[in-house]
Amino acid sequence: MWLPILGLILGVSLGFLTDIQIPQEYGNYLSIAVLAALDTLLGGIRAHMQRVYDDLVFISGFFFNILLAAALAFLGVHLGVDLYLAAIFAFGVRLFQNLAVIRRILLTKWSEVRKVSAANNSK
Amino acid sequence: MRRSWMFTAILFIVGFMVAVQYNTVQQPDERDTRDIWAIRNELAKERKLHSELLTEVRGLDETLKKYSGSEKGQAGQALSETVRELREQAGMTELTGPGIVIDVKPSEESIALGTPLHEVSPELLTRFVNDANRFKDINMEIDGKRITALSAIRDINGNTTVNGLPVQIPPFQIKIISADMKNSEKLYNFLQSSSLLDDFYLDDFVLEISQPAEDVTISGRTDPFENRFLKELPKGD
């Protein structure tokens, strides 16, 4: 549990310390890539909790989603259609769905723990 | 364990991406709040600078042409001409041209009241020079001391000095030469209506500004150049 958090902290601090900035016109691509990455990450956590996690699916999903989102945004820019909105919508909805599933699983686990402890206490 | 490392790597990438995105969004730290008129003003200022720079470049091109076009014997002449021009620019030579003469005198009231005569303060003189320098291409002399980019107006042991030489107690003259008569007239009008007259009057002085004249002569700076930074290269280098 602590290792992934350490990875996150390391990534954020490296980003801030290097002070890397990308040109404004590519800001859309990065924002959508961040959204895709978050979506995949939450999907991975959900899969892990539902015990259907698969390494290959997770890693390929992570990079594929990012690339697809960026490609959609790129295509949208060249076609004059705000296609990145479609990606934002799709990823946004999935993000919330994943969050909802994770919340339910956590709630179920928590209520089970409570039931077990209540049963132990009554003994 | 492998899963944990994978999550760590992915979270590292996500964290990095988020930080970069944050940096990018925060990029313009200050919002540009200028309105269209402020931007137009700025543009006009830049255009003026542009045209000034072009004029300068043209002048330098001409000098370059003179050097390359002249034969060996004339190269020395071109060089000495450049030196003369530079001395003129630096205010080392006497200069005659259209300009105005300003007499600084004690005010009649102060004489009538018997106020003891005193010097013009360095602050007042500096203010005068700064105000006059709003006009470009002017050459100035205060009480016979030429004002150049290196001139200092300051108080030395209670005496007001220009270039380290004391300025006498009024009356004395300030002479300003402009590029042409038109500019001299502009300067004359500006000085006539400026608050400098009031500032001098508050210090018991009056400025009598003469009409622009065709031939005003100002003297050159007398003290030699001090070369502190340029160094001669040894031969063969």
Side-chain angles (χ1 to χ4, degrees), chain A residues 3-4 7 15-16 21-22 24 30-31 48 53 55, chain B residues 2-3 6 8 11-12 16 21-24 27:
Chain A
L3 205 59
F16 280 129
Q21 287 168 1
I22 56 163
Q24 287 285 335
L30 187 62
S31 61
H48 174 68
Y53 177 83
D55 276 344
Chain B
R2 195 174 152 219
R3 191 175 296 176
M6 208 160 278
T8 308
L11 272 168
F12 177 81
F16 185 75
Q21 173 74 358
Y22 183 81
N23 281 343
T24 308
Q27 201 171 15

mmCIF file with all atom_site columns, all heavy atoms in Angstrom, chain A residues 3-4 7 15-16 21-22 24 30-31 48 53 55, chain B residues 2-3 6 8 11-12 16 21-24 27:
data_model
loop_
_atom_site.group_PDB
_atom_site.id
_atom_site.type_symbol
_atom_site.label_atom_id
_atom_site.label_alt_id
_atom_site.label_comp_id
_atom_site.label_asym_id
_atom_site.label_entity_id
_atom_site.label_seq_id
_atom_site.pdbx_PDB_ins_code
_atom_site.Cartn_x
_atom_site.Cartn_y
_atom_site.Cartn_z
_atom_site.occupancy
_atom_site.B_iso_or_equiv
_atom_site.pdbx_formal_charge
_atom_site.auth_seq_id
_atom_site.auth_comp_id
_atom_site.auth_asym_id
_atom_site.auth_atom_id
_atom_site.pdbx_PDB_model_num
ATOM 1   N N   . LEU A 1 3  ? 3.944  1.558   -1.026  1.00 0.00 ? 3  LEU A N   1
ATOM 2   C CA  . LEU A 1 3  ? 4.822  1.692   -2.196  1.00 0.00 ? 3  LEU A CA  1
ATOM 3   C C   . LEU A 1 3  ? 4.167  2.511   -3.319  1.00 0.00 ? 3  LEU A C   1
ATOM 4   O O   . LEU A 1 3  ? 4.790  3.445   -3.839  1.00 0.00 ? 3  LEU A O   1
ATOM 5   C CB  . LEU A 1 3  ? 5.214  0.296   -2.681  1.00 0.00 ? 3  LEU A CB  1
ATOM 6   C CG  . LEU A 1 3  ? 6.521  0.209   -3.456  1.00 0.00 ? 3  LEU A CG  1
ATOM 7   C CD1 . LEU A 1 3  ? 7.691  0.700   -2.623  1.00 0.00 ? 3  LEU A CD1 1
ATOM 8   C CD2 . LEU A 1 3  ? 6.760  -1.210  -3.923  1.00 0.00 ? 3  LEU A CD2 1
ATOM 9   N N   . PRO A 1 4  ? 2.905  2.197   -3.691  1.00 0.00 ? 4  PRO A N   1
ATOM 10  C CA  . PRO A 1 4  ? 2.269  3.027   -4.733  1.00 0.00 ? 4  PRO A CA  1
ATOM 11  C C   . PRO A 1 4  ? 2.161  4.495   -4.328  1.00 0.00 ? 4  PRO A C   1
ATOM 12  O O   . PRO A 1 4  ? 2.349  5.385   -5.165  1.00 0.00 ? 4  PRO A O   1
ATOM 13  C CB  . PRO A 1 4  ? 0.876  2.399   -4.873  1.00 0.00 ? 4  PRO A CB  1
ATOM 14  C CG  . PRO A 1 4  ? 1.045  0.992   -4.445  1.00 0.00 ? 4  PRO A CG  1
ATOM 15  C CD  . PRO A 1 4  ? 2.066  1.032   -3.346  1.00 0.00 ? 4  PRO A CD  1
ATOM 16  N N   . GLY A 1 7  ? 5.357  6.083   -4.855  1.00 0.00 ? 7  GLY A N   1
ATOM 17  C CA  . GLY A 1 7  ? 5.525  6.331   -6.290  1.00 0.00 ? 7  GLY A CA  1
ATOM 18  C C   . GLY A 1 7  ? 4.820  7.601   -6.711  1.00 0.00 ? 7  GLY A C   1
ATOM 19  O O   . GLY A 1 7  ? 5.375  8.427   -7.443  1.00 0.00 ? 7  GLY A O   1
ATOM 20  N N   . GLY A 1 15 ? 7.879  16.112  -10.929 1.00 0.00 ? 15 GLY A N   1
ATOM 21  C CA  . GLY A 1 15 ? 7.227  17.052  -11.861 1.00 0.00 ? 15 GLY A CA  1
ATOM 22  C C   . GLY A 1 15 ? 7.369  18.483  -11.413 1.00 0.00 ? 15 GLY A C   1
ATOM 23  O O   . GLY A 1 15 ? 7.649  19.379  -12.209 1.00 0.00 ? 15 GLY A O   1
ATOM 24  N N   . PHE A 1 16 ? 7.195  18.723  -10.099 1.00 0.00 ? 16 PHE A N   1
ATOM 25  C CA  . PHE A 1 16 ? 7.286  20.097  -9.599  1.00 0.00 ? 16 PHE A CA  1
ATOM 26  C C   . PHE A 1 16 ? 8.730  20.587  -9.576  1.00 0.00 ? 16 PHE A C   1
ATOM 27  O O   . PHE A 1 16 ? 8.999  21.745  -9.866  1.00 0.00 ? 16 PHE A O   1
ATOM 28  C CB  . PHE A 1 16 ? 6.687  20.210  -8.201  1.00 0.00 ? 16 PHE A CB  1
ATOM 29  C CG  . PHE A 1 16 ? 5.190  20.293  -8.233  1.00 0.00 ? 16 PHE A CG  1
ATOM 30  C CD1 . PHE A 1 16 ? 4.405  19.460  -7.448  1.00 0.00 ? 16 PHE A CD1 1
ATOM 31  C CD2 . PHE A 1 16 ? 4.554  21.207  -9.054  1.00 0.00 ? 16 PHE A CD2 1
ATOM 32  C CE1 . PHE A 1 16 ? 3.025  19.536  -7.485  1.00 0.00 ? 16 PHE A CE1 1
ATOM 33  C CE2 . PHE A 1 16 ? 3.173  21.291  -9.109  1.00 0.00 ? 16 PHE A CE2 1
ATOM 34  C CZ  . PHE A 1 16 ? 2.408  20.450  -8.326  1.00 0.00 ? 16 PHE A CZ  1
ATOM 35  N N   . GLN A 1 21 ? 7.342  22.422  -18.364 1.00 0.00 ? 21 GLN A N   1
ATOM 36  C CA  . GLN A 1 21 ? 6.075  22.946  -18.873 1.00 0.00 ? 21 GLN A CA  1
ATOM 37  C C   . GLN A 1 21 ? 5.955  22.568  -20.336 1.00 0.00 ? 21 GLN A C   1
ATOM 38  O O   . GLN A 1 21 ? 6.955  22.557  -21.041 1.00 0.00 ? 21 GLN A O   1
ATOM 39  C CB  . GLN A 1 21 ? 6.042  24.471  -18.757 1.00 0.00 ? 21 GLN A CB  1
ATOM 40  C CG  . GLN A 1 21 ? 5.876  24.919  -17.325 1.00 0.00 ? 21 GLN A CG  1
ATOM 41  C CD  . GLN A 1 21 ? 6.132  26.392  -17.163 1.00 0.00 ? 21 GLN A CD  1
ATOM 42  O OE1 . GLN A 1 21 ? 6.411  27.081  -18.135 1.00 0.00 ? 21 GLN A OE1 1
ATOM 43  N NE2 . GLN A 1 21 ? 6.043  26.859  -15.946 1.00 0.00 ? 21 GLN A NE2 1
ATOM 44  N N   . ILE A 1 22 ? 4.734  22.284  -20.744 1.00 0.00 ? 22 ILE A N   1
ATOM 45  C CA  . ILE A 1 22 ? 4.559  21.965  -22.160 1.00 0.00 ? 22 ILE A CA  1
ATOM 46  C C   . ILE A 1 22 ? 3.871  23.163  -22.810 1.00 0.00 ? 22 ILE A C   1
ATOM 47  O O   . ILE A 1 22 ? 3.205  23.938  -22.115 1.00 0.00 ? 22 ILE A O   1
ATOM 48  C CB  . ILE A 1 22 ? 3.745  20.672  -22.363 1.00 0.00 ? 22 ILE A CB  1
ATOM 49  C CG1 . ILE A 1 22 ? 2.397  20.790  -21.651 1.00 0.00 ? 22 ILE A CG1 1
ATOM 50  C CG2 . ILE A 1 22 ? 4.499  19.457  -21.879 1.00 0.00 ? 22 ILE A CG2 1
ATOM 51  C CD1 . ILE A 1 22 ? 1.414  19.777  -22.129 1.00 0.00 ? 22 ILE A CD1 1
ATOM 52  N N   . GLN A 1 24 ? 1.313  25.686  -24.518 1.00 0.00 ? 24 GLN A N   1
ATOM 53  C CA  . GLN A 1 24 ? -0.131 25.829  -24.244 1.00 0.00 ? 24 GLN A CA  1
ATOM 54  C C   . GLN A 1 24 ? -0.989 24.999  -25.200 1.00 0.00 ? 24 GLN A C   1
ATOM 55  O O   . GLN A 1 24 ? -1.996 24.438  -24.802 1.00 0.00 ? 24 GLN A O   1
ATOM 56  C CB  . GLN A 1 24 ? -0.530 27.303  -24.380 1.00 0.00 ? 24 GLN A CB  1
ATOM 57  C CG  . GLN A 1 24 ? -0.045 28.178  -23.244 1.00 0.00 ? 24 GLN A CG  1
ATOM 58  C CD  . GLN A 1 24 ? -0.848 27.965  -21.980 1.00 0.00 ? 24 GLN A CD  1
ATOM 59  O OE1 . GLN A 1 24 ? -1.990 27.546  -22.055 1.00 0.00 ? 24 GLN A OE1 1
ATOM 60  N NE2 . GLN A 1 24 ? -0.257 28.237  -20.837 1.00 0.00 ? 24 GLN A NE2 1
ATOM 61  N N   . LEU A 1 30 ? -2.503 16.784  -22.820 1.00 0.00 ? 30 LEU A N   1
ATOM 62  C CA  . LEU A 1 30 ? -2.013 16.289  -21.530 1.00 0.00 ? 30 LEU A CA  1
ATOM 63  C C   . LEU A 1 30 ? -3.163 16.133  -20.549 1.00 0.00 ? 30 LEU A C   1
ATOM 64  O O   . LEU A 1 30 ? -3.230 15.149  -19.801 1.00 0.00 ? 30 LEU A O   1
ATOM 65  C CB  . LEU A 1 30 ? -0.946 17.237  -20.968 1.00 0.00 ? 30 LEU A CB  1
ATOM 66  C CG  . LEU A 1 30 ? -0.266 16.715  -19.710 1.00 0.00 ? 30 LEU A CG  1
ATOM 67  C CD1 . LEU A 1 30 ? 0.459  15.418  -19.994 1.00 0.00 ? 30 LEU A CD1 1
ATOM 68  C CD2 . LEU A 1 30 ? 0.725  17.731  -19.162 1.00 0.00 ? 30 LEU A CD2 1
ATOM 69  N N   . SER A 1 31 ? -4.095 17.116  -20.557 1.00 0.00 ? 31 SER A N   1
ATOM 70  C CA  . SER A 1 31 ? -5.201 17.032  -19.595 1.00 0.00 ? 31 SER A CA  1
ATOM 71  C C   . SER A 1 31 ? -6.029 15.775  -19.852 1.00 0.00 ? 31 SER A C   1
ATOM 72  O O   . SER A 1 31 ? -6.431 15.083  -18.909 1.00 0.00 ? 31 SER A O   1
ATOM 73  C CB  . SER A 1 31 ? -6.064 18.291  -19.665 1.00 0.00 ? 31 SER A CB  1
ATOM 74  O OG  . SER A 1 31 ? -6.599 18.409  -20.947 1.00 0.00 ? 31 SER A OG  1
ATOM 75  N N   . HIS A 1 48 ? -8.723 -5.062  -8.977  1.00 0.00 ? 48 HIS A N   1
ATOM 76  C CA  . HIS A 1 48 ? -7.981 -5.672  -7.874  1.00 0.00 ? 48 HIS A CA  1
ATOM 77  C C   . HIS A 1 48 ? -8.927 -6.056  -6.732  1.00 0.00 ? 48 HIS A C   1
ATOM 78  O O   . HIS A 1 48 ? -8.824 -7.141  -6.146  1.00 0.00 ? 48 HIS A O   1
ATOM 79  C CB  . HIS A 1 48 ? -6.925 -4.669  -7.390  1.00 0.00 ? 48 HIS A CB  1
ATOM 80  C CG  . HIS A 1 48 ? -6.193 -5.092  -6.173  1.00 0.00 ? 48 HIS A CG  1
ATOM 81  N ND1 . HIS A 1 48 ? -5.308 -6.155  -6.173  1.00 0.00 ? 48 HIS A ND1 1
ATOM 82  C CD2 . HIS A 1 48 ? -6.206 -4.619  -4.904  1.00 0.00 ? 48 HIS A CD2 1
ATOM 83  C CE1 . HIS A 1 48 ? -4.810 -6.303  -4.970  1.00 0.00 ? 48 HIS A CE1 1
ATOM 84  N NE2 . HIS A 1 48 ? -5.344 -5.377  -4.172  1.00 0.00 ? 48 HIS A NE2 1
ATOM 85  N N   . TYR A 1 53 ? -8.239 -8.773  -11.457 1.00 0.00 ? 53 TYR A N   1
ATOM 86  C CA  . TYR A 1 53 ? -7.121 -7.971  -11.964 1.00 0.00 ? 53 TYR A CA  1
ATOM 87  C C   . TYR A 1 53 ? -6.202 -8.803  -12.847 1.00 0.00 ? 53 TYR A C   1
ATOM 88  O O   . TYR A 1 53 ? -5.895 -9.957  -12.537 1.00 0.00 ? 53 TYR A O   1
ATOM 89  C CB  . TYR A 1 53 ? -6.331 -7.394  -10.783 1.00 0.00 ? 53 TYR A CB  1
ATOM 90  C CG  . TYR A 1 53 ? -5.115 -6.609  -11.200 1.00 0.00 ? 53 TYR A CG  1
ATOM 91  C CD1 . TYR A 1 53 ? -5.224 -5.280  -11.584 1.00 0.00 ? 53 TYR A CD1 1
ATOM 92  C CD2 . TYR A 1 53 ? -3.859 -7.211  -11.217 1.00 0.00 ? 53 TYR A CD2 1
ATOM 93  C CE1 . TYR A 1 53 ? -4.112 -4.564  -11.962 1.00 0.00 ? 53 TYR A CE1 1
ATOM 94  C CE2 . TYR A 1 53 ? -2.741 -6.502  -11.606 1.00 0.00 ? 53 TYR A CE2 1
ATOM 95  C CZ  . TYR A 1 53 ? -2.878 -5.189  -11.983 1.00 0.00 ? 53 TYR A CZ  1
ATOM 96  O OH  . TYR A 1 53 ? -1.785 -4.477  -12.360 1.00 0.00 ? 53 TYR A OH  1
ATOM 97  N N   . ASP A 1 55 ? -2.515 -8.187  -15.043 1.00 0.00 ? 55 ASP A N   1
ATOM 98  C CA  . ASP A 1 55 ? -1.411 -7.250  -15.324 1.00 0.00 ? 55 ASP A CA  1
ATOM 99  C C   . ASP A 1 55 ? -1.458 -6.703  -16.745 1.00 0.00 ? 55 ASP A C   1
ATOM 100 O O   . ASP A 1 55 ? -1.351 -5.500  -16.977 1.00 0.00 ? 55 ASP A O   1
ATOM 101 C CB  . ASP A 1 55 ? -0.066 -7.960  -15.125 1.00 0.00 ? 55 ASP A CB  1
ATOM 102 C CG  . ASP A 1 55 ? 0.344  -7.948  -13.680 1.00 0.00 ? 55 ASP A CG  1
ATOM 103 O OD1 . ASP A 1 55 ? -0.250 -7.152  -12.936 1.00 0.00 ? 55 ASP A OD1 1
ATOM 104 O OD2 . ASP A 1 55 ? 1.237  -8.729  -13.303 1.00 0.00 ? 55 ASP A OD2 1
ATOM 105 N N   . ARG B 2 2  ? 4.531  -8.076  -7.400  1.00 0.00 ? 2  ARG B N   1
ATOM 106 C CA  . ARG B 2 2  ? 4.724  -7.535  -8.744  1.00 0.00 ? 2  ARG B CA  1
ATOM 107 C C   . ARG B 2 2  ? 3.652  -6.491  -9.037  1.00 0.00 ? 2  ARG B C   1
ATOM 108 O O   . ARG B 2 2  ? 3.908  -5.453  -9.645  1.00 0.00 ? 2  ARG B O   1
ATOM 109 C CB  . ARG B 2 2  ? 4.647  -8.697  -9.731  1.00 0.00 ? 2  ARG B CB  1
ATOM 110 C CG  . ARG B 2 2  ? 5.185  -8.292  -11.069 1.00 0.00 ? 2  ARG B CG  1
ATOM 111 C CD  . ARG B 2 2  ? 5.246  -9.471  -12.009 1.00 0.00 ? 2  ARG B CD  1
ATOM 112 N NE  . ARG B 2 2  ? 5.114  -8.978  -13.356 1.00 0.00 ? 2  ARG B NE  1
ATOM 113 C CZ  . ARG B 2 2  ? 4.435  -9.570  -14.296 1.00 0.00 ? 2  ARG B CZ  1
ATOM 114 N NH1 . ARG B 2 2  ? 3.815  -10.701 -14.053 1.00 0.00 ? 2  ARG B NH1 1
ATOM 115 N NH2 . ARG B 2 2  ? 4.360  -9.062  -15.496 1.00 0.00 ? 2  ARG B NH2 1
ATOM 116 N N   . ARG B 2 3  ? 2.453  -6.807  -8.586  1.00 0.00 ? 3  ARG B N   1
ATOM 117 C CA  . ARG B 2 3  ? 1.323  -5.899  -8.791  1.00 0.00 ? 3  ARG B CA  1
ATOM 118 C C   . ARG B 2 3  ? 1.589  -4.558  -8.116  1.00 0.00 ? 3  ARG B C   1
ATOM 119 O O   . ARG B 2 3  ? 1.309  -3.489  -8.668  1.00 0.00 ? 3  ARG B O   1
ATOM 120 C CB  . ARG B 2 3  ? 0.064  -6.555  -8.217  1.00 0.00 ? 3  ARG B CB  1
ATOM 121 C CG  . ARG B 2 3  ? -1.199 -5.859  -8.595  1.00 0.00 ? 3  ARG B CG  1
ATOM 122 C CD  . ARG B 2 3  ? -2.396 -6.610  -8.096  1.00 0.00 ? 3  ARG B CD  1
ATOM 123 N NE  . ARG B 2 3  ? -2.541 -7.933  -8.699  1.00 0.00 ? 3  ARG B NE  1
ATOM 124 C CZ  . ARG B 2 3  ? -3.483 -8.805  -8.360  1.00 0.00 ? 3  ARG B CZ  1
ATOM 125 N NH1 . ARG B 2 3  ? -4.360 -8.481  -7.402  1.00 0.00 ? 3  ARG B NH1 1
ATOM 126 N NH2 . ARG B 2 3  ? -3.576 -9.977  -8.926  1.00 0.00 ? 3  ARG B NH2 1
ATOM 127 N N   . MET B 2 6  ? 3.932  -2.535  -10.081 1.00 0.00 ? 6  MET B N   1
ATOM 128 C CA  . MET B 2 6  ? 3.270  -2.012  -11.280 1.00 0.00 ? 6  MET B CA  1
ATOM 129 C C   . MET B 2 6  ? 2.444  -0.783  -10.944 1.00 0.00 ? 6  MET B C   1
ATOM 130 O O   . MET B 2 6  ? 2.509  0.243   -11.619 1.00 0.00 ? 6  MET B O   1
ATOM 131 C CB  . MET B 2 6  ? 2.380  -3.110  -11.863 1.00 0.00 ? 6  MET B CB  1
ATOM 132 C CG  . MET B 2 6  ? 2.189  -2.975  -13.329 1.00 0.00 ? 6  MET B CG  1
ATOM 133 S SD  . MET B 2 6  ? 1.669  -4.511  -13.987 1.00 0.00 ? 6  MET B SD  1
ATOM 134 C CE  . MET B 2 6  ? 3.198  -5.354  -14.150 1.00 0.00 ? 6  MET B CE  1
ATOM 135 N N   . THR B 2 8  ? 2.946  1.126   -8.459  1.00 0.00 ? 8  THR B N   1
ATOM 136 C CA  . THR B 2 8  ? 3.879  2.201   -8.110  1.00 0.00 ? 8  THR B CA  1
ATOM 137 C C   . THR B 2 8  ? 4.351  2.935   -9.364  1.00 0.00 ? 8  THR B C   1
ATOM 138 O O   . THR B 2 8  ? 4.346  4.169   -9.418  1.00 0.00 ? 8  THR B O   1
ATOM 139 C CB  . THR B 2 8  ? 5.107  1.607   -7.379  1.00 0.00 ? 8  THR B CB  1
ATOM 140 O OG1 . THR B 2 8  ? 4.647  0.805   -6.313  1.00 0.00 ? 8  THR B OG1 1
ATOM 141 C CG2 . THR B 2 8  ? 6.006  2.705   -6.850  1.00 0.00 ? 8  THR B CG2 1
ATOM 142 N N   . LEU B 2 11 ? 1.470  4.933   -10.838 1.00 0.00 ? 11 LEU B N   1
ATOM 143 C CA  . LEU B 2 11 ? 1.178  6.120   -10.016 1.00 0.00 ? 11 LEU B CA  1
ATOM 144 C C   . LEU B 2 11 ? 2.277  7.176   -10.165 1.00 0.00 ? 11 LEU B C   1
ATOM 145 O O   . LEU B 2 11 ? 2.005  8.366   -10.135 1.00 0.00 ? 11 LEU B O   1
ATOM 146 C CB  . LEU B 2 11 ? 1.022  5.720   -8.550  1.00 0.00 ? 11 LEU B CB  1
ATOM 147 C CG  . LEU B 2 11 ? -0.401 5.330   -8.199  1.00 0.00 ? 11 LEU B CG  1
ATOM 148 C CD1 . LEU B 2 11 ? -0.454 4.665   -6.850  1.00 0.00 ? 11 LEU B CD1 1
ATOM 149 C CD2 . LEU B 2 11 ? -1.314 6.537   -8.210  1.00 0.00 ? 11 LEU B CD2 1
ATOM 150 N N   . PHE B 2 12 ? 3.514  6.690   -10.345 1.00 0.00 ? 12 PHE B N   1
ATOM 151 C CA  . PHE B 2 12 ? 4.624  7.617   -10.570 1.00 0.00 ? 12 PHE B CA  1
ATOM 152 C C   . PHE B 2 12 ? 4.368  8.419   -11.854 1.00 0.00 ? 12 PHE B C   1
ATOM 153 O O   . PHE B 2 12 ? 4.471  9.651   -11.866 1.00 0.00 ? 12 PHE B O   1
ATOM 154 C CB  . PHE B 2 12 ? 5.927  6.818   -10.683 1.00 0.00 ? 12 PHE B CB  1
ATOM 155 C CG  . PHE B 2 12 ? 7.127  7.665   -10.991 1.00 0.00 ? 12 PHE B CG  1
ATOM 156 C CD1 . PHE B 2 12 ? 7.770  8.362   -9.980  1.00 0.00 ? 12 PHE B CD1 1
ATOM 157 C CD2 . PHE B 2 12 ? 7.608  7.768   -12.276 1.00 0.00 ? 12 PHE B CD2 1
ATOM 158 C CE1 . PHE B 2 12 ? 8.871  9.156   -10.261 1.00 0.00 ? 12 PHE B CE1 1
ATOM 159 C CE2 . PHE B 2 12 ? 8.701  8.552   -12.558 1.00 0.00 ? 12 PHE B CE2 1
ATOM 160 C CZ  . PHE B 2 12 ? 9.338  9.244   -11.552 1.00 0.00 ? 12 PHE B CZ  1
ATOM 161 N N   . PHE B 2 16 ? 3.565  12.416  -12.124 1.00 0.00 ? 16 PHE B N   1
ATOM 162 C CA  . PHE B 2 16 ? 4.407  13.270  -12.955 1.00 0.00 ? 16 PHE B CA  1
ATOM 163 C C   . PHE B 2 16 ? 3.562  14.065  -13.953 1.00 0.00 ? 16 PHE B C   1
ATOM 164 O O   . PHE B 2 16 ? 3.717  15.268  -14.134 1.00 0.00 ? 16 PHE B O   1
ATOM 165 C CB  . PHE B 2 16 ? 5.446  12.417  -13.681 1.00 0.00 ? 16 PHE B CB  1
ATOM 166 C CG  . PHE B 2 16 ? 6.425  13.204  -14.472 1.00 0.00 ? 16 PHE B CG  1
ATOM 167 C CD1 . PHE B 2 16 ? 7.437  13.907  -13.832 1.00 0.00 ? 16 PHE B CD1 1
ATOM 168 C CD2 . PHE B 2 16 ? 6.343  13.266  -15.847 1.00 0.00 ? 16 PHE B CD2 1
ATOM 169 C CE1 . PHE B 2 16 ? 8.342  14.657  -14.557 1.00 0.00 ? 16 PHE B CE1 1
ATOM 170 C CE2 . PHE B 2 16 ? 7.249  14.010  -16.575 1.00 0.00 ? 16 PHE B CE2 1
ATOM 171 C CZ  . PHE B 2 16 ? 8.252  14.705  -15.929 1.00 0.00 ? 16 PHE B CZ  1
ATOM 172 N N   . GLN B 2 21 ? 1.051  19.015  -15.821 1.00 0.00 ? 21 GLN B N   1
ATOM 173 C CA  . GLN B 2 21 ? -0.175 19.704  -16.222 1.00 0.00 ? 21 GLN B CA  1
ATOM 174 C C   . GLN B 2 21 ? -0.421 20.920  -15.331 1.00 0.00 ? 21 GLN B C   1
ATOM 175 O O   . GLN B 2 21 ? -0.776 21.993  -15.809 1.00 0.00 ? 21 GLN B O   1
ATOM 176 C CB  . GLN B 2 21 ? -1.356 18.723  -16.156 1.00 0.00 ? 21 GLN B CB  1
ATOM 177 C CG  . GLN B 2 21 ? -2.715 19.345  -16.389 1.00 0.00 ? 21 GLN B CG  1
ATOM 178 C CD  . GLN B 2 21 ? -2.940 19.694  -17.856 1.00 0.00 ? 21 GLN B CD  1
ATOM 179 O OE1 . GLN B 2 21 ? -2.048 19.504  -18.668 1.00 0.00 ? 21 GLN B OE1 1
ATOM 180 N NE2 . GLN B 2 21 ? -4.089 20.228  -18.164 1.00 0.00 ? 21 GLN B NE2 1
ATOM 181 N N   . TYR B 2 22 ? -0.181 20.747  -14.045 1.00 0.00 ? 22 TYR B N   1
ATOM 182 C CA  . TYR B 2 22 ? -0.364 21.856  -13.090 1.00 0.00 ? 22 TYR B CA  1
ATOM 183 C C   . TYR B 2 22 ? 0.596  22.997  -13.439 1.00 0.00 ? 22 TYR B C   1
ATOM 184 O O   . TYR B 2 22 ? 0.199  24.156  -13.505 1.00 0.00 ? 22 TYR B O   1
ATOM 185 C CB  . TYR B 2 22 ? -0.103 21.367  -11.665 1.00 0.00 ? 22 TYR B CB  1
ATOM 186 C CG  . TYR B 2 22 ? -0.342 22.424  -10.619 1.00 0.00 ? 22 TYR B CG  1
ATOM 187 C CD1 . TYR B 2 22 ? -1.627 22.701  -10.164 1.00 0.00 ? 22 TYR B CD1 1
ATOM 188 C CD2 . TYR B 2 22 ? 0.715  23.154  -10.100 1.00 0.00 ? 22 TYR B CD2 1
ATOM 189 C CE1 . TYR B 2 22 ? -1.853 23.672  -9.224  1.00 0.00 ? 22 TYR B CE1 1
ATOM 190 C CE2 . TYR B 2 22 ? 0.503  24.133  -9.157  1.00 0.00 ? 22 TYR B CE2 1
ATOM 191 C CZ  . TYR B 2 22 ? -0.783 24.398  -8.709  1.00 0.00 ? 22 TYR B CZ  1
ATOM 192 O OH  . TYR B 2 22 ? -0.994 25.372  -7.785  1.00 0.00 ? 22 TYR B OH  1
ATOM 193 N N   . ASN B 2 23 ? 1.855  22.629  -13.700 1.00 0.00 ? 23 ASN B N   1
ATOM 194 C CA  . ASN B 2 23 ? 2.847  23.649  -14.077 1.00 0.00 ? 23 ASN B CA  1
ATOM 195 C C   . ASN B 2 23 ? 2.407  24.395  -15.323 1.00 0.00 ? 23 ASN B C   1
ATOM 196 O O   . ASN B 2 23 ? 2.550  25.614  -15.418 1.00 0.00 ? 23 ASN B O   1
ATOM 197 C CB  . ASN B 2 23 ? 4.200  22.988  -14.377 1.00 0.00 ? 23 ASN B CB  1
ATOM 198 C CG  . ASN B 2 23 ? 4.934  22.642  -13.114 1.00 0.00 ? 23 ASN B CG  1
ATOM 199 O OD1 . ASN B 2 23 ? 4.603  23.147  -12.050 1.00 0.00 ? 23 ASN B OD1 1
ATOM 200 N ND2 . ASN B 2 23 ? 5.914  21.771  -13.226 1.00 0.00 ? 23 ASN B ND2 1
ATOM 201 N N   . THR B 2 24 ? 1.876  23.643  -16.283 1.00 0.00 ? 24 THR B N   1
ATOM 202 C CA  . THR B 2 24 ? 1.482  24.258  -17.550 1.00 0.00 ? 24 THR B CA  1
ATOM 203 C C   . THR B 2 24 ? 0.307  25.202  -17.371 1.00 0.00 ? 24 THR B C   1
ATOM 204 O O   . THR B 2 24 ? 0.288  26.299  -17.927 1.00 0.00 ? 24 THR B O   1
ATOM 205 C CB  . THR B 2 24 ? 1.103  23.167  -18.567 1.00 0.00 ? 24 THR B CB  1
ATOM 206 O OG1 . THR B 2 24 ? 2.165  22.230  -18.617 1.00 0.00 ? 24 THR B OG1 1
ATOM 207 C CG2 . THR B 2 24 ? 0.866  23.746  -19.931 1.00 0.00 ? 24 THR B CG2 1
ATOM 208 N N   . GLN B 2 27 ? 1.155  28.518  -15.923 1.00 0.00 ? 27 GLN B N   1
ATOM 209 C CA  . GLN B 2 27 ? 2.255  29.180  -16.624 1.00 0.00 ? 27 GLN B CA  1
ATOM 210 C C   . GLN B 2 27 ? 2.195  30.709  -16.617 1.00 0.00 ? 27 GLN B C   1
ATOM 211 O O   . GLN B 2 27 ? 3.152  31.331  -16.184 1.00 0.00 ? 27 GLN B O   1
ATOM 212 C CB  . GLN B 2 27 ? 2.330  28.667  -18.052 1.00 0.00 ? 27 GLN B CB  1
ATOM 213 C CG  . GLN B 2 27 ? 3.691  28.888  -18.668 1.00 0.00 ? 27 GLN B CG  1
ATOM 214 C CD  . GLN B 2 27 ? 3.796  28.180  -19.997 1.00 0.00 ? 27 GLN B CD  1
ATOM 215 O OE1 . GLN B 2 27 ? 2.798  27.771  -20.569 1.00 0.00 ? 27 GLN B OE1 1
ATOM 216 N NE2 . GLN B 2 27 ? 4.985  28.037  -20.492 1.00 0.00 ? 27 GLN B NE2 1
#
